Amino acid sequence: MGTTANQDQAIKQLQSIMDQIDESMKNTYQNMHQGYPTETLVRFLKARDWNVAKAHKMLVDCLEWRIQNKIDDMLAKPIIPSNLYRAVRDSQLLGLSGYSKEGLPIITIGAGLSTFDKASVHYYVQSHIQINEYRDRVILPTATKKYGRHISTCLKVLDMTGLKLSALNHLKLLTTMSTIDDLNYPEKTETYYIVNAPYIFSACWKVVKPLLQERTRKKIQVLQGCGRDELLKIMDYSSLPHFCRKEGSGSSKNTEDGSNCFSPDHAFHQQLYSYIKQQAELLDSISPIKQGSVHVGFPDPDPEDAKIARTIESEFHRLRNLNGLSNSVNGLKVDGN
C-alpha cells in the first residue's frame, strides 16, 4: 500500500483496538470492509491524518450510525412504486458510465441539472446511500475479481452543465449527503473530474479551493470544456460519460444510443433496482415490503464542511446581487434608448 514505518505502526495500533469491538458491531464492520479490513483502517486513518485515536472514534461512530440506521438492510429497501423511483432518478442525476483502464468504476453526477424536486429529502438521501452501498458491496468486489487486484476506490465525473443560482435551494441537502460520505465512506474517490463548468462554478471554485484540505484539493481536476481528450487518457470511449462525448453535449436526457448513464433505463440503474428488489424479496418472509422512505439520521456537518457551505452560499448571493444589478443596468439602457 506504500505506507511508511510510522503509518504501519498506526495501522497495527488501530487493528489491535478494532479486534476488541463489541460483537454487535462485527457484522456491520464485515459488511463495510468486504474482506479487506486493513484497507478500511487505512481509509479512516487517512481521513484523520493518521491520528489513531481520532480514526478509531470516527470508525466506531460510523459503525454506530450503520447500526442505528440499519444501513446493512439498505439494499433491501426499494423505493416504490417504480414511478417514484424513476422520478428520483430523473431529478437526482447519478450513474455509472463504465470503468477506467485501471479498472476503477466511473461514477457520474449531473450536478448542474439535478433539481431534487420530485420527492422528499429522505428519498434522495436513501437513494444516495443505496448507491454507496451497492458500489462498496457489489461493484467494487466485482471489479476486484475481474481485474485480479483489490479495487476499493472510484473516479467521479461531475457535469456542471446547467448550474444556476437556484442550486442554492438544495445546498443543505447536498451538504447533508457530503457529510454522510465524509464521515461514513471516507477516501472512496480517487479523483473528481469537473467538466462543462460555467462561470458560476468558476467563481465559487476560486473562493472554495483555498478552504479545502490539501489532500482533497489534489483530488479535484477542473477540465476544459467537456473534458473528452483528458478523460480518454484514462478510459476507453465506451466508458466515456455521454456528456463528455462532444463539446456542448451536456447532461442531455435524450441520447439516441441509450448511453445516458443518468437514465433509469440505463443498464446500471436497471441492475441496481433489480438487485434491491431481489434483496427485499429475500427479507419479505420476515417483514413485508413497505412503501415510504427510509429515514436516516443526518449527522452534523464537520465544521470545515459547514464553513465551505457558508462560503458557497455567500458567493451565490453575491453573484445573484451582481446579476440583479446587471439586469437593472440593462433595463435602464433599454429605457434610456
Side-chain angles (χ1 to χ4, degrees):
M1 285 185 289
T3 50
T4 66
N6 285 341
Q7 289 170 346
D8 286 339
Q9 188 61 34
I11 294 167
K12 285 178 184 174
Q13 286 178 23
L14 185 54
Q15 180 65 66
S16 176
I17 299 169
M18 291 305 294
D19 285 341
Q20 301 166 40
I21 59 171
D22 293 344
E23 202 65 36
S24 61
M25 289 186 173
K26 284 184 178 174
N27 280 343
T28 198
Y29 184 44
Q30 285 170 357
N31 261 335
M32 267 184 64
H33 67 58
Q34 291 289 312
Y36 293 92
T38 303
E39 286 79 1
T40 299
L41 298 179
V42 168
R43 288 196 295 109
F44 281 80
L45 283 163
K46 280 182 179 178
R48 289 296 175 261
D49 296 318
W50 295 91
N51 182 305
V52 175
K54 288 181 179 179
H56 174 244
K57 182 183 184 308
M58 182 187 187
L59 186 44
V60 169
D61 286 348
C62 169
L63 295 175
E64 288 176 348
W65 173 80
R66 293 183 66 87
I67 293 167
Q68 288 165 8
N69 295 285
K70 299 181 178 176
I71 301 300
D72 290 339
D73 295 334
M74 189 61 80
L75 288 178
K77 306 281 186 186
I79 295 175
I80 51 177
S82 59
N83 63 332
L84 175 59
Y85 177 73
R86 294 185 74 88
V88 170
R89 288 278 59 82
D90 283 338
S91 51
Q92 181 185 24
L93 303 181
L94 284 163
L96 177 79
S97 65
Y99 296 82
S100 73
K101 291 175 182 177
E102 293 184 346
L104 274 61
I106 301 159
I107 306 288
T108 55
I109 301 170
L113 291 176
S114 291
T115 54
F116 301 101
D117 59 353
K118 301 282 175 65
S120 75
V121 165
H122 294 286
Y123 280 116
Y124 291 115
V125 172
Q126 177 181 344
S127 166
H128 180 79
I129 293 172
Q130 285 178 331
I131 288 177
N132 280 353
E133 290 292 310
Y134 189 72
R135 173 198 65 200
D136 293 352
R137 291 197 244 167
V138 179
I139 294 172
L140 290 171
T142 301
T144 293
K145 285 179 185 174
K146 181 179 177 181
Y147 290 90
R149 67 180 185 87
H150 182 227
I151 295 174
S152 61
T153 57
C154 64
L155 304 177
K156 287 185 179 174
V157 184
L158 285 74
D159 180 23
M160 293 294 166
T161 299
L163 185 67
K164 296 186 176 80
L165 292 169
S166 56
L168 191 60
N169 298 335
H170 41 260
L171 182 59
K172 187 175 179 182
L173 171 58
L174 293 171
T175 303
T176 295
M177 292 193 292
S178 173
T179 301
I180 286 172
D181 286 355
D182 290 347
L183 297 181
N184 303 292
Y185 304 93
E187 301 295 320
K188 295 300 292 187
T189 304
E190 196 83 17
T191 311
Y192 298 86
Y193 296 99
I194 312 291
V195 301
N196 298 319
Y199 169 75
I200 186 174
F201 171 82
S202 304
C204 285
W205 179 236
K206 277 182 187 174
V207 295
V208 167
K209 189 177 179 180
L211 302 178
L212 297 174
Q213 291 183 9
E214 186 182 1
R215 188 180 71 252
T216 304
R217 202 162 51 233
K218 282 181 176 177
K219 290 183 178 183
I220 300 171
Q221 293 189 31
V222 182
L223 304 183
Q224 242 187 333
C226 70
R228 172 180 160 145
D229 293 343
E230 286 298 310
L231 291 174
L232 283 175
K233 294 175 184 176
I234 56 167
M235 65 185 73
D236 294 331
Y237 185 83
S238 60
S239 292
L240 192 69
H242 64 280
F243 51 81
C244 297
R245 295 193 173 189
K246 59 181 180 181
E247 292 295 340
S249 57
S251 299
S252 169
K253 293 186 180 180
N254 301 305
T255 49
E256 293 176 9
D257 59 359
S259 64
N260 182 352
C261 47
F262 298 143
S263 169
D265 298 316
H266 188 271
F268 165 71
H269 287 299
Q270 290 289 305
Q271 290 161 8
L272 168 62
Y273 198 58
S274 294
Y275 181 89
I276 293 173
K277 284 198 294 184
Q278 286 168 6
Q279 295 301 307
E281 285 164 8
L282 292 174
L283 288 181
D284 189 29
S285 57
I286 303 169
S287 57
I289 302 171
K290 294 178 182 177
Q291 280 189 232
S293 61
V294 176
H295 285 225
V296 173
F298 298 165
D300 293 328
D302 179 88
E304 289 185 10
D305 287 348
K307 184 178 180 182
I308 290 167
R310 287 195 302 272
T311 303
I312 292 172
E313 186 173 4
S314 173
E315 185 64 14
F316 266 57
H317 283 307
R318 185 186 73 81
L319 292 169
R320 184 175 281 168
N321 291 337
L322 278 176
N323 193 44
L325 180 64
S326 173
N327 288 341
S328 299
V329 170
N330 287 337
L332 285 171
K333 284 181 180 176
V334 171
D335 293 341
N337 289 337

